[in-house]
Amino acid sequence: MNKADSMIGFLYEAGHLKRTPRAGWLLAGVPNPESVAEHSFRVGIIAYVIAAQEGANPDRAATLGLFHDFPEARIGDVPSVGKNYVRTAAPQEVIADQVAGLPEPLGRHIATLIDEHEKAKSTDATLEAKCSRDADKIECLVQAREYEAAGNTQLKPWIDSMLRAVATQTGKELANAALAVPPSIWFQDFAAKFGMPRAVGE
């Protein structure tokens, strides 16, 4: 394949993440859970926000968050209950195969992103990786709060787990705010300022 063909193949694989459900939510009784791609989109935004407050490079942190689950296009999203029984290749091994056909230095750059994010808990972790990892946890927490607001009552274990996992000061502040502030706050603020939208035909 030529360079353009290999890059298009990689982008088609990225699209598979739009059809890959976040399996943990099925355990919580969520009937139509978000996809891995939907999760990764907001992780990137949250990573940017955290990094900007923590003095890290927000562009780098957001990129780490955006790519962090790319290997799941091949290995799927194994829920916590399955990890005691299912062994998958390390994300670094999976991404090495995923980028093997890409031109240099593109493939190497993407593989480096996965490796950096995966090392977020190591002693030599970059601040951007720590922000990306916190963003991954905060996104799960925020999503749990949204599912909770929609009527799901089985999400406390997910919320408690994410609260314990956050490490940065900004991440902790966001986690506490997520518990106190309802998911509808942005729309409530809009409605208070501009009025509720009118029904069709009014």
Side-chain angles (χ1 to χ4, degrees), residues 150-170:
N152 190 294
T153 61
Q154 303 179 61
L155 294 161
K156 190 173 188 308
W158 279 262
I159 292 171
D160 292 344
S161 177
M162 294 307 104
L163 287 172
R164 292 192 299 269
V166 176
T168 65
Q169 182 59 38
T170 302

Side-chain angles (χ1 to χ4, degrees), residues 55-80:
N57 181 331
D59 296 329
R60 179 71 177 183
T63 305
L64 291 173
L66 182 64
F67 277 88
H68 80 287
D69 275 340
F70 202 98
E72 291 186 5
R74 296 200 179 181
I75 60 176
D77 179 33
V78 180
S80 55

